[in-house]
Amino acid sequence: MATTTKKKKAASKPSQSAQLSSTGDDDPLPISRYVSLTGTQAVLLMFSMLVLPRTTLTFEDLPLQSSSLDRPQAAWMAPLTAWPDRSVAWMAVGAAIVQSYWASKAVSWIEDDLSKETGIKREETRLQEGEHSVKNVIRAWGATLLGSVCFHALILILGAPITTHIRHTYALALLLSILSVYAPARCLTVPLFNGSAKDQTLRVKWSRLFTNLKAKSRAERALLYPSLIAVFGAWCGAYPLALDWDRPWQAWPLTPTAGAIIGYIVGSFASIFVSSVYYLARTLPDPRKTK
């Protein structure tokens, strides 16, 4: 009797997937995991911007401040402003490590989206990803390097020095490409023209995300929003350069670099906010129906 009663209770309890579908939340990415990983990513990017450039002090002595002598800068800022090109290079190294880890997690979210859209089992899509993971990483970094060249040309068109500060400008372009190109290229891969259902779906995703700017899932928002706002943040970060304050932190390209990293973090939390709103809209009961 007791065994029969337990079986009836177990049968009466809906599964987790059934509960999700009944509440309307059919997104394969759990919102709690999404928030925790995004918070970790934001902390590591801030570490890359504020702490990692101080590594240069282990190789050379810090030079004396040469501008704005009437207002000495804070001691913690001196290593960041002494060699702007090296500081941005260190930020790019840190961002590359953080983005590599982030993309390795986000790629499984995109694979779950693909299995949902194409009807292919998750095990099959993840098996295909495992077989081609090395190729996809190489292609993603190749796309990132190509994107850095494009960003470099765009920055020059927008008014950066052409004959001087070449290292500075390319360091900024590389950082922008790491923030905005690598994760989408790693997760969405570079679609091949072989006619498979997966590649067709990926091409549609690329076009919908970065041409129409429409994201349908949490994983897609996690790729789209930070990439766009990072570029916008770098553009906004160029405004302090025009001020005649003559501060060390106004050296090219420190403020656009800070704007890019802060913009990426703002975009990440914006994607969390939008995804949370959609999550609540799907899961909370409609008060009009409960009356």
Side-chain angles (χ1 to χ4, degrees), residues 49-86:
M49 182 176 70
L50 299 177
V51 179
L52 196 58
R54 298 178 63 87
T55 307
T56 308
L57 292 177
T58 60
F59 304 108
E60 294 187 36
D61 295 331
L62 191 66
L64 297 177
Q65 181 176 334
S66 58
S67 62
S68 188
L69 298 178
D70 57 328
R71 293 185 180 181
Q73 63 180 339
W76 67 270
M77 288 188 63
L80 280 72
T81 61
W83 303 284
D85 55 338
R86 302 182 191 180

Short mmCIF file of all heavy atoms in Angstrom, two decimals, residues 49-86:
data_model
loop_
_atom_site.label_atom_id
_atom_site.label_comp_id
_atom_site.label_asym_id
_atom_site.label_seq_id
_atom_site.Cartn_x
_atom_site.Cartn_y
_atom_site.Cartn_z
N MET A 49 40.99 45.98 -16.13
CA MET A 49 41.14 47.39 -16.45
C MET A 49 41.92 48.15 -15.38
O MET A 49 42.74 49.02 -15.72
CB MET A 49 39.75 48.04 -16.61
CG MET A 49 39.80 49.52 -16.99
SD MET A 49 38.17 50.24 -17.29
CE MET A 49 37.50 50.27 -15.62
N LEU A 50 41.73 47.83 -14.12
CA LEU A 50 42.31 48.64 -13.05
C LEU A 50 43.55 48.03 -12.40
O LEU A 50 44.39 48.78 -11.88
CB LEU A 50 41.25 48.87 -11.96
CG LEU A 50 39.99 49.63 -12.41
CD1 LEU A 50 39.00 49.71 -11.25
CD2 LEU A 50 40.34 51.01 -12.92
N VAL A 51 43.68 46.72 -12.41
CA VAL A 51 44.76 46.07 -11.67
C VAL A 51 45.82 45.48 -12.61
O VAL A 51 47.02 45.65 -12.38
CB VAL A 51 44.20 44.98 -10.74
CG1 VAL A 51 45.33 44.28 -9.99
CG2 VAL A 51 43.20 45.57 -9.77
N LEU A 52 45.39 44.81 -13.65
CA LEU A 52 46.34 44.11 -14.52
C LEU A 52 47.38 45.04 -15.15
O LEU A 52 48.55 44.64 -15.28
CB LEU A 52 45.58 43.34 -15.59
CG LEU A 52 46.37 42.27 -16.35
CD1 LEU A 52 46.94 41.23 -15.38
CD2 LEU A 52 45.49 41.59 -17.39
N PRO A 53 47.05 46.28 -15.56
CA PRO A 53 48.09 47.15 -16.13
C PRO A 53 49.22 47.49 -15.17
O PRO A 53 50.30 47.88 -15.61
CB PRO A 53 47.32 48.41 -16.53
CG PRO A 53 45.93 47.93 -16.76
CD PRO A 53 45.71 46.86 -15.75
N ARG A 54 49.01 47.32 -13.89
CA ARG A 54 50.08 47.58 -12.91
C ARG A 54 51.20 46.56 -13.04
O ARG A 54 52.27 46.75 -12.45
CB ARG A 54 49.51 47.57 -11.50
CG ARG A 54 48.45 48.64 -11.24
CD ARG A 54 47.89 48.52 -9.83
NE ARG A 54 48.92 48.76 -8.85
CZ ARG A 54 49.26 49.96 -8.39
NH1 ARG A 54 48.66 51.04 -8.84
NH2 ARG A 54 50.20 50.09 -7.47
N THR A 55 50.97 45.47 -13.79
CA THR A 55 52.01 44.47 -14.00
C THR A 55 53.24 45.08 -14.66
O THR A 55 54.36 44.58 -14.49
CB THR A 55 51.45 43.33 -14.87
OG1 THR A 55 50.24 42.86 -14.28
CG2 THR A 55 52.44 42.18 -14.96
N THR A 56 53.05 46.17 -15.42
CA THR A 56 54.17 46.81 -16.10
C THR A 56 55.23 47.28 -15.11
O THR A 56 56.42 47.37 -15.45
CB THR A 56 53.65 48.02 -16.91
OG1 THR A 56 52.58 47.57 -17.75
CG2 THR A 56 54.75 48.60 -17.78
N LEU A 57 54.84 47.56 -13.87
CA LEU A 57 55.79 48.03 -12.86
C LEU A 57 56.85 46.99 -12.53
O LEU A 57 57.91 47.33 -12.00
CB LEU A 57 55.04 48.42 -11.58
CG LEU A 57 54.14 49.66 -11.69
CD1 LEU A 57 53.40 49.88 -10.38
CD2 LEU A 57 54.95 50.89 -12.05
N THR A 58 56.57 45.72 -12.82
CA THR A 58 57.56 44.67 -12.53
C THR A 58 58.70 44.67 -13.54
O THR A 58 59.71 44.02 -13.31
CB THR A 58 56.88 43.29 -12.54
OG1 THR A 58 56.31 43.06 -13.83
CG2 THR A 58 55.78 43.23 -11.50
N PHE A 59 58.54 45.42 -14.65
CA PHE A 59 59.56 45.44 -15.70
C PHE A 59 60.33 46.76 -15.74
O PHE A 59 61.50 46.78 -16.11
CB PHE A 59 58.92 45.17 -17.07
CG PHE A 59 58.15 43.89 -17.13
CD1 PHE A 59 56.78 43.90 -17.18
CD2 PHE A 59 58.80 42.66 -17.12
CE1 PHE A 59 56.05 42.72 -17.24
CE2 PHE A 59 58.10 41.48 -17.18
CZ PHE A 59 56.72 41.50 -17.23
N GLU A 60 59.68 47.86 -15.40
CA GLU A 60 60.32 49.17 -15.50
C GLU A 60 59.92 50.05 -14.33
O GLU A 60 58.86 49.84 -13.71
CB GLU A 60 59.93 49.86 -16.82
CG GLU A 60 60.45 49.17 -18.07
CD GLU A 60 60.17 50.00 -19.32
OE1 GLU A 60 60.26 51.24 -19.22
OE2 GLU A 60 59.87 49.41 -20.35
N ASP A 61 60.77 51.04 -14.05
CA ASP A 61 60.45 52.01 -13.01
C ASP A 61 59.43 53.01 -13.54
O ASP A 61 59.41 53.36 -14.72
CB ASP A 61 61.71 52.75 -12.55
CG ASP A 61 62.70 51.81 -11.88
OD1 ASP A 61 62.24 50.82 -11.27
OD2 ASP A 61 63.91 52.06 -11.97
N LEU A 62 58.60 53.50 -12.65
CA LEU A 62 57.54 54.43 -13.03
C LEU A 62 58.12 55.81 -13.31
O LEU A 62 58.84 56.36 -12.47
CB LEU A 62 56.51 54.51 -11.91
CG LEU A 62 55.20 55.22 -12.22
CD1 LEU A 62 54.42 54.43 -13.26
CD2 LEU A 62 54.37 55.36 -10.95
N PRO A 63 57.85 56.41 -14.48
CA PRO A 63 58.38 57.76 -14.76
C PRO A 63 57.63 58.82 -13.96
O PRO A 63 56.53 58.59 -13.47
CB PRO A 63 58.14 57.91 -16.26
CG PRO A 63 56.96 57.04 -16.54
CD PRO A 63 57.08 55.87 -15.61
N LEU A 64 58.23 59.99 -13.87
CA LEU A 64 57.59 61.09 -13.17
C LEU A 64 56.46 61.67 -14.00
O LEU A 64 56.46 61.61 -15.23
CB LEU A 64 58.63 62.18 -12.87
CG LEU A 64 59.79 61.78 -11.94
CD1 LEU A 64 60.78 62.93 -11.80
CD2 LEU A 64 59.27 61.35 -10.57
N GLN A 65 55.47 62.23 -13.31
CA GLN A 65 54.35 62.85 -14.00
C GLN A 65 54.83 64.08 -14.76
O GLN A 65 55.52 64.94 -14.20
CB GLN A 65 53.26 63.23 -12.98
CG GLN A 65 52.03 63.85 -13.58
CD GLN A 65 50.96 64.11 -12.54
OE1 GLN A 65 50.89 63.45 -11.51
NE2 GLN A 65 50.09 65.08 -12.81
N SER A 66 54.46 64.18 -16.04
CA SER A 66 54.96 65.27 -16.89
C SER A 66 53.92 66.32 -17.21
O SER A 66 54.25 67.36 -17.77
CB SER A 66 55.51 64.69 -18.20
OG SER A 66 54.50 63.97 -18.88
N SER A 67 52.64 66.07 -16.91
CA SER A 67 51.59 67.04 -17.20
C SER A 67 50.73 67.25 -15.97
O SER A 67 50.70 66.41 -15.06
CB SER A 67 50.72 66.55 -18.36
OG SER A 67 50.08 65.33 -18.02
N SER A 68 50.05 68.42 -15.94
CA SER A 68 49.16 68.77 -14.82
C SER A 68 49.88 68.63 -13.48
O SER A 68 49.40 67.99 -12.55
CB SER A 68 47.92 67.86 -14.85
OG SER A 68 46.98 68.28 -13.91
N LEU A 69 51.05 69.30 -13.40
CA LEU A 69 51.86 69.16 -12.18
C LEU A 69 51.21 69.84 -10.97
O LEU A 69 51.54 69.51 -9.82
CB LEU A 69 53.25 69.76 -12.43
CG LEU A 69 54.07 69.08 -13.53
CD1 LEU A 69 55.41 69.78 -13.71
CD2 LEU A 69 54.28 67.60 -13.22
N ASP A 70 50.31 70.78 -11.22
CA ASP A 70 49.66 71.46 -10.10
C ASP A 70 48.64 70.56 -9.41
O ASP A 70 48.24 70.83 -8.27
CB ASP A 70 48.96 72.74 -10.59
CG ASP A 70 47.95 72.45 -11.69
OD1 ASP A 70 48.19 71.51 -12.46
OD2 ASP A 70 46.94 73.18 -11.77
N ARG A 71 48.22 69.51 -10.09
CA ARG A 71 47.26 68.57 -9.50
C ARG A 71 47.79 67.15 -9.71
O ARG A 71 47.45 66.49 -10.69
CB ARG A 71 45.89 68.73 -10.14
CG ARG A 71 45.22 70.06 -9.83
CD ARG A 71 43.82 70.10 -10.37
NE ARG A 71 43.17 71.36 -10.08
CZ ARG A 71 41.91 71.66 -10.42
NH1 ARG A 71 41.20 70.77 -11.10
NH2 ARG A 71 41.39 72.84 -10.12
N PRO A 72 48.61 66.68 -8.80
CA PRO A 72 49.16 65.32 -8.95
C PRO A 72 48.03 64.28 -8.94
O PRO A 72 47.07 64.40 -8.19
CB PRO A 72 50.08 65.17 -7.73
CG PRO A 72 50.37 66.57 -7.30
CD PRO A 72 49.15 67.38 -7.62
N GLN A 73 48.17 63.29 -9.79
CA GLN A 73 47.16 62.24 -9.85
C GLN A 73 47.34 61.25 -8.70
O GLN A 73 48.38 61.21 -8.04
CB GLN A 73 47.23 61.51 -11.18
CG GLN A 73 48.54 60.78 -11.40
CD GLN A 73 48.58 60.06 -12.73
OE1 GLN A 73 47.56 59.76 -13.33
NE2 GLN A 73 49.78 59.76 -13.22
N ALA A 74 46.32 60.47 -8.46
CA ALA A 74 46.38 59.46 -7.42
C ALA A 74 47.45 58.43 -7.72
O ALA A 74 47.74 58.12 -8.89
CB ALA A 74 45.02 58.79 -7.27
N ALA A 75 48.06 57.90 -6.68
CA ALA A 75 49.17 56.97 -6.86
C ALA A 75 48.74 55.71 -7.60
O ALA A 75 49.51 55.16 -8.40
CB ALA A 75 49.75 56.60 -5.50
N TRP A 76 47.50 55.27 -7.39
CA TRP A 76 47.07 54.03 -8.04
C TRP A 76 46.85 54.22 -9.54
O TRP A 76 46.86 53.23 -10.29
CB TRP A 76 45.79 53.50 -7.40
CG TRP A 76 44.58 54.38 -7.61
CD1 TRP A 76 44.16 55.41 -6.82
CD2 TRP A 76 43.65 54.30 -8.70
NE1 TRP A 76 43.02 55.98 -7.34
CE2 TRP A 76 42.69 55.31 -8.50
CE3 TRP A 76 43.54 53.48 -9.82
CZ2 TRP A 76 41.63 55.53 -9.37
CZ3 TRP A 76 42.48 53.68 -10.69
CH2 TRP A 76 41.54 54.69 -10.46
N MET A 77 46.67 55.47 -9.98
CA MET A 77 46.46 55.72 -11.40
C MET A 77 47.75 55.87 -12.19
O MET A 77 47.75 55.73 -13.42
CB MET A 77 45.62 56.99 -11.60
CG MET A 77 44.16 56.85 -11.22
SD MET A 77 43.22 58.32 -11.70
CE MET A 77 43.42 58.30 -13.48
N ALA A 78 48.84 56.14 -11.49
CA ALA A 78 50.11 56.40 -12.18
C ALA A 78 50.54 55.25 -13.09
O ALA A 78 50.96 55.50 -14.23
CB ALA A 78 51.19 56.73 -11.16
N PRO A 79 50.49 53.99 -12.66
CA PRO A 79 50.90 52.91 -13.58
C PRO A 79 50.01 52.79 -14.82
O PRO A 79 50.48 52.34 -15.86
CB PRO A 79 50.79 51.65 -12.71
CG PRO A 79 50.85 52.14 -11.31
CD PRO A 79 50.19 53.47 -11.32
N LEU A 80 48.74 53.22 -14.71
CA LEU A 80 47.84 53.12 -15.85
C LEU A 80 48.12 54.20 -16.89
O LEU A 80 47.96 53.97 -18.09
CB LEU A 80 46.38 53.21 -15.40
CG LEU A 80 45.74 51.96 -14.83
CD1 LEU A 80 46.28 51.63 -13.45
CD2 LEU A 80 44.22 52.13 -14.77
N THR A 81 48.53 55.40 -16.43
CA THR A 81 48.70 56.52 -17.34
C THR A 81 50.14 56.71 -17.82
O THR A 81 50.38 57.48 -18.75
CB THR A 81 48.24 57.81 -16.65
OG1 THR A 81 49.03 58.03 -15.47
CG2 THR A 81 46.77 57.71 -16.25
N ALA A 82 51.11 56.04 -17.18
CA ALA A 82 52.51 56.24 -17.55
C ALA A 82 52.78 55.76 -18.98
O ALA A 82 53.44 56.44 -19.77
CB ALA A 82 53.42 55.51 -16.56
N TRP A 83 52.30 54.58 -19.32
CA TRP A 83 52.47 54.01 -20.67
C TRP A 83 51.10 53.57 -21.17
O TRP A 83 50.71 52.41 -21.01
CB TRP A 83 53.42 52.81 -20.64
CG TRP A 83 54.76 53.12 -20.06
CD1 TRP A 83 55.79 53.79 -20.67
CD2 TRP A 83 55.24 52.76 -18.77
NE1 TRP A 83 56.88 53.86 -19.84
CE2 TRP A 83 56.57 53.24 -18.66
CE3 TRP A 83 54.70 52.08 -17.68
CZ2 TRP A 83 57.34 53.06 -17.51
CZ3 TRP A 83 55.45 51.91 -16.54
CH2 TRP A 83 56.75 52.40 -16.47
N PRO A 84 50.34 54.46 -21.80
CA PRO A 84 48.96 54.11 -22.21
C PRO A 84 48.89 52.91 -23.15
O PRO A 84 47.97 52.09 -23.02
CB PRO A 84 48.48 55.39 -22.91
CG PRO A 84 49.31 56.48 -22.33
CD PRO A 84 50.66 55.87 -22.07
N ASP A 85 49.83 52.79 -24.08
CA ASP A 85 49.76 51.66 -25.01
C ASP A 85 49.95 50.33 -24.30
O ASP A 85 49.26 49.35 -24.59
CB ASP A 85 50.78 51.84 -26.13
CG ASP A 85 52.20 52.03 -25.58
OD1 ASP A 85 52.35 52.44 -24.41
OD2 ASP A 85 53.16 51.76 -26.33
N ARG A 86 50.87 50.29 -23.33
CA ARG A 86 51.07 49.06 -22.59
C ARG A 86 49.89 48.75 -21.68
O ARG A 86 49.50 47.59 -21.51
CB ARG A 86 52.36 49.15 -21.76
CG ARG A 86 53.60 49.41 -22.59
CD ARG A 86 54.84 49.45 -21.73
NE ARG A 86 55.99 49.95 -22.47
CZ ARG A 86 57.20 50.07 -21.96
NH1 ARG A 86 57.42 49.73 -20.68
NH2 ARG A 86 58.21 50.53 -22.70
#
